[in-house]
mmCIF file of all heavy atoms in Angstrom:
data_model
loop_
_atom_site.group_PDB
_atom_site.id
_atom_site.type_symbol
_atom_site.label_atom_id
_atom_site.label_comp_id
_atom_site.label_asym_id
_atom_site.label_seq_id
_atom_site.Cartn_x
_atom_site.Cartn_y
_atom_site.Cartn_z
ATOM 1 N N ASP A 166 178.868 -90.210 -7.996
ATOM 2 C CA ASP A 166 179.265 -90.761 -9.283
ATOM 3 C C ASP A 166 178.644 -89.963 -10.424
ATOM 4 O O ASP A 166 177.564 -89.373 -10.287
ATOM 5 C CB ASP A 166 178.854 -92.233 -9.397
ATOM 6 C CG ASP A 166 179.640 -93.107 -8.436
ATOM 7 O OD1 ASP A 166 180.655 -92.627 -7.907
ATOM 8 O OD2 ASP A 166 179.227 -94.260 -8.213
ATOM 9 N N SER A 169 176.533 -93.146 -12.860
ATOM 10 C CA SER A 169 175.666 -94.079 -12.134
ATOM 11 C C SER A 169 175.468 -93.541 -10.726
ATOM 12 O O SER A 169 175.923 -92.439 -10.407
ATOM 13 C CB SER A 169 176.298 -95.475 -12.083
ATOM 14 O OG SER A 169 177.529 -95.436 -11.367
ATOM 15 N N LYS A 170 174.788 -94.311 -9.909
ATOM 16 C CA LYS A 170 174.598 -93.904 -8.523
ATOM 17 C C LYS A 170 175.733 -94.443 -7.645
ATOM 18 O O LYS A 170 176.410 -95.405 -7.999
ATOM 19 C CB LYS A 170 173.248 -94.417 -8.010
ATOM 20 C CG LYS A 170 172.048 -93.808 -8.728
ATOM 21 C CD LYS A 170 170.749 -94.380 -8.207
ATOM 22 C CE LYS A 170 169.552 -93.785 -8.956
ATOM 23 N NZ LYS A 170 168.264 -94.373 -8.494
ATOM 24 N N SER A 171 175.909 -93.827 -6.498
ATOM 25 C CA SER A 171 176.985 -94.222 -5.580
ATOM 26 C C SER A 171 176.742 -95.609 -5.004
ATOM 27 O O SER A 171 175.629 -96.151 -5.041
ATOM 28 C CB SER A 171 177.098 -93.203 -4.442
ATOM 29 O OG SER A 171 177.519 -91.954 -4.930
ATOM 30 N N ASP A 172 177.836 -96.184 -4.459
ATOM 31 C CA ASP A 172 177.795 -97.508 -3.823
ATOM 32 C C ASP A 172 178.117 -97.320 -2.342
ATOM 33 O O ASP A 172 179.265 -97.477 -1.916
ATOM 34 C CB ASP A 172 178.822 -98.445 -4.470
ATOM 35 C CG ASP A 172 178.670 -98.517 -5.983
ATOM 36 O OD1 ASP A 172 177.517 -98.532 -6.442
ATOM 37 O OD2 ASP A 172 179.696 -98.540 -6.689
ATOM 38 N N PRO A 173 177.135 -96.981 -1.509
ATOM 39 C CA PRO A 173 177.422 -96.556 -0.132
ATOM 40 C C PRO A 173 177.651 -97.711 0.850
ATOM 41 O O PRO A 173 177.108 -98.804 0.696
ATOM 42 C CB PRO A 173 176.169 -95.768 0.254
ATOM 43 C CG PRO A 173 175.084 -96.366 -0.570
ATOM 44 C CD PRO A 173 175.716 -96.798 -1.868
ATOM 45 N N PHE A 174 178.466 -97.442 1.847
ATOM 46 C CA PHE A 174 178.594 -98.300 3.026
ATOM 47 C C PHE A 174 178.862 -97.414 4.236
ATOM 48 O O PHE A 174 179.335 -96.278 4.097
ATOM 49 C CB PHE A 174 179.690 -99.360 2.858
ATOM 50 C CG PHE A 174 181.106 -98.829 2.869
ATOM 51 C CD1 PHE A 174 181.854 -98.809 4.042
ATOM 52 C CD2 PHE A 174 181.697 -98.358 1.703
ATOM 53 C CE1 PHE A 174 183.157 -98.330 4.055
ATOM 54 C CE2 PHE A 174 183.005 -97.874 1.699
ATOM 55 C CZ PHE A 174 183.734 -97.862 2.879
ATOM 56 N N GLU A 193 178.075 -103.803 4.860
ATOM 57 C CA GLU A 193 178.425 -104.209 3.506
ATOM 58 C C GLU A 193 178.178 -103.049 2.549
ATOM 59 O O GLU A 193 177.579 -102.029 2.913
ATOM 60 C CB GLU A 193 177.599 -105.433 3.082
ATOM 61 C CG GLU A 193 176.157 -105.159 2.690
ATOM 62 C CD GLU A 193 175.215 -105.028 3.880
ATOM 63 O OE1 GLU A 193 175.695 -104.907 5.027
ATOM 64 O OE2 GLU A 193 173.986 -105.043 3.655
ATOM 65 N N VAL A 194 178.629 -103.184 1.313
ATOM 66 C CA VAL A 194 178.414 -102.177 0.276
ATOM 67 C C VAL A 194 177.090 -102.462 -0.428
ATOM 68 O O VAL A 194 176.793 -103.602 -0.783
ATOM 69 C CB VAL A 194 179.565 -102.189 -0.749
ATOM 70 C CG1 VAL A 194 179.275 -101.221 -1.899
ATOM 71 C CG2 VAL A 194 180.879 -101.833 -0.082
ATOM 72 N N ILE A 195 176.287 -101.416 -0.617
ATOM 73 C CA ILE A 195 175.051 -101.517 -1.407
ATOM 74 C C ILE A 195 175.316 -100.811 -2.745
ATOM 75 O O ILE A 195 175.552 -99.600 -2.770
ATOM 76 C CB ILE A 195 173.862 -100.861 -0.692
ATOM 77 C CG1 ILE A 195 173.655 -101.494 0.683
ATOM 78 C CG2 ILE A 195 172.602 -100.988 -1.544
ATOM 79 C CD1 ILE A 195 173.239 -102.940 0.659
ATOM 80 N N ASN A 196 175.299 -101.548 -3.829
ATOM 81 C CA ASN A 196 175.655 -100.996 -5.135
ATOM 82 C C ASN A 196 174.532 -100.141 -5.723
ATOM 83 O O ASN A 196 173.346 -100.490 -5.625
ATOM 84 C CB ASN A 196 175.998 -102.124 -6.112
ATOM 85 C CG ASN A 196 177.291 -102.824 -5.760
ATOM 86 O OD1 ASN A 196 178.242 -102.203 -5.288
ATOM 87 N ND2 ASN A 196 177.341 -104.132 -5.968
ATOM 88 N N ASN A 197 174.941 -99.005 -6.329
ATOM 89 C CA ASN A 197 174.063 -98.200 -7.175
ATOM 90 C C ASN A 197 172.753 -97.829 -6.473
ATOM 91 O O ASN A 197 171.663 -98.075 -6.963
ATOM 92 C CB ASN A 197 173.768 -98.976 -8.467
ATOM 93 C CG ASN A 197 173.251 -98.078 -9.575
ATOM 94 O OD1 ASN A 197 173.647 -96.926 -9.672
ATOM 95 N ND2 ASN A 197 172.354 -98.600 -10.392
ATOM 96 N N ASN A 198 172.880 -97.205 -5.273
ATOM 97 C CA ASN A 198 171.681 -96.955 -4.462
ATOM 98 C C ASN A 198 171.924 -95.742 -3.564
ATOM 99 O O ASN A 198 172.898 -95.703 -2.806
ATOM 100 C CB ASN A 198 171.347 -98.184 -3.619
ATOM 101 C CG ASN A 198 169.938 -98.168 -3.072
ATOM 102 O OD1 ASN A 198 169.412 -97.114 -2.732
ATOM 103 N ND2 ASN A 198 169.318 -99.334 -2.987
ATOM 104 N N LEU A 199 171.039 -94.755 -3.623
ATOM 105 C CA LEU A 199 171.143 -93.571 -2.768
ATOM 106 C C LEU A 199 170.209 -93.634 -1.569
ATOM 107 O O LEU A 199 170.183 -92.705 -0.755
ATOM 108 C CB LEU A 199 170.851 -92.308 -3.587
ATOM 109 C CG LEU A 199 171.794 -92.042 -4.762
ATOM 110 C CD1 LEU A 199 171.392 -90.764 -5.492
ATOM 111 C CD2 LEU A 199 173.248 -91.959 -4.296
ATOM 112 N N ASN A 200 169.439 -94.737 -1.472
ATOM 113 C CA ASN A 200 168.555 -94.971 -0.319
ATOM 114 C C ASN A 200 168.794 -96.385 0.221
ATOM 115 O O ASN A 200 167.888 -97.217 0.248
ATOM 116 C CB ASN A 200 167.085 -94.791 -0.725
ATOM 117 C CG ASN A 200 166.804 -93.407 -1.270
ATOM 118 O OD1 ASN A 200 166.924 -92.420 -0.569
ATOM 119 N ND2 ASN A 200 166.430 -93.354 -2.545
ATOM 120 N N PRO A 201 170.020 -96.681 0.639
ATOM 121 C CA PRO A 201 170.397 -98.060 0.978
ATOM 122 C C PRO A 201 169.809 -98.534 2.304
ATOM 123 O O PRO A 201 169.606 -97.758 3.237
ATOM 124 C CB PRO A 201 171.921 -97.982 1.059
ATOM 125 C CG PRO A 201 172.187 -96.565 1.486
ATOM 126 C CD PRO A 201 171.136 -95.739 0.812
ATOM 127 N N TRP A 203 170.943 -101.574 4.965
ATOM 128 C CA TRP A 203 172.015 -102.539 5.220
ATOM 129 C C TRP A 203 171.553 -103.665 6.140
ATOM 130 O O TRP A 203 170.556 -103.530 6.855
ATOM 131 C CB TRP A 203 173.210 -101.832 5.873
ATOM 132 C CG TRP A 203 173.932 -100.902 4.946
ATOM 133 C CD1 TRP A 203 174.851 -101.220 3.998
ATOM 134 C CD2 TRP A 203 173.801 -99.477 4.892
ATOM 135 N NE1 TRP A 203 175.299 -100.097 3.354
ATOM 136 C CE2 TRP A 203 174.672 -99.005 3.878
ATOM 137 C CE3 TRP A 203 173.037 -98.550 5.592
ATOM 138 C CZ2 TRP A 203 174.801 -97.656 3.559
ATOM 139 C CZ3 TRP A 203 173.148 -97.203 5.273
ATOM 140 C CH2 TRP A 203 174.025 -96.774 4.267
ATOM 141 N N ASP A 226 181.195 -93.589 -0.348
ATOM 142 C CA ASP A 226 180.952 -94.161 -1.670
ATOM 143 C C ASP A 226 182.126 -95.079 -1.981
ATOM 144 O O ASP A 226 183.266 -94.622 -2.096
ATOM 145 C CB ASP A 226 180.840 -93.043 -2.719
ATOM 146 C CG ASP A 226 180.608 -93.592 -4.125
ATOM 147 O OD1 ASP A 226 180.235 -94.775 -4.253
ATOM 148 O OD2 ASP A 226 180.798 -92.828 -5.093
ATOM 149 N N PHE A 227 181.852 -96.379 -2.095
ATOM 150 C CA PHE A 227 182.916 -97.370 -2.271
ATOM 151 C C PHE A 227 183.650 -97.168 -3.589
ATOM 152 O O PHE A 227 183.048 -96.907 -4.631
ATOM 153 C CB PHE A 227 182.327 -98.785 -2.234
ATOM 154 C CG PHE A 227 183.340 -99.868 -2.521
ATOM 155 C CD1 PHE A 227 184.186 -100.312 -1.524
ATOM 156 C CD2 PHE A 227 183.452 -100.421 -3.789
ATOM 157 C CE1 PHE A 227 185.128 -101.293 -1.782
ATOM 158 C CE2 PHE A 227 184.386 -101.405 -4.061
ATOM 159 C CZ PHE A 227 185.226 -101.844 -3.050
ATOM 160 N N GLY A 475 185.039 -102.147 2.765
ATOM 161 C CA GLY A 475 183.586 -102.167 2.668
ATOM 162 C C GLY A 475 183.019 -103.244 1.779
ATOM 163 O O GLY A 475 181.802 -103.399 1.702
ATOM 164 N N LYS A 476 183.868 -104.016 1.091
ATOM 165 C CA LYS A 476 183.376 -105.021 0.153
ATOM 166 C C LYS A 476 184.149 -106.312 0.350
ATOM 167 O O LYS A 476 185.378 -106.323 0.322
ATOM 168 C CB LYS A 476 183.543 -104.528 -1.293
ATOM 169 C CG LYS A 476 182.601 -105.178 -2.287
ATOM 170 C CD LYS A 476 182.598 -104.387 -3.593
ATOM 171 C CE LYS A 476 181.489 -104.882 -4.502
ATOM 172 N NZ LYS A 476 181.394 -104.065 -5.736
ATOM 173 N N GLN A 479 186.029 -111.526 -3.567
ATOM 174 C CA GLN A 479 185.353 -112.460 -4.459
ATOM 175 C C GLN A 479 186.416 -113.255 -5.200
ATOM 176 O O GLN A 479 187.410 -112.703 -5.679
ATOM 177 C CB GLN A 479 184.452 -111.714 -5.445
ATOM 178 C CG GLN A 479 183.585 -112.619 -6.308
ATOM 179 C CD GLN A 479 182.545 -111.819 -7.081
ATOM 180 O OE1 GLN A 479 182.169 -110.730 -6.676
ATOM 181 N NE2 GLN A 479 182.091 -112.363 -8.191
#
Side-chain angles (χ1 to χ4, degrees):
D166 292 346
S169 63
K170 295 178 181 178
S171 294
D172 307 321
F174 71 95
E193 77 279 13
V194 175
I195 303 294
N196 291 324
N197 198 34
N198 197 325
L199 299 180
N200 301 296
W203 290 280
D226 179 16
F227 175 81
K476 204 166 190 176
Q479 187 170 336

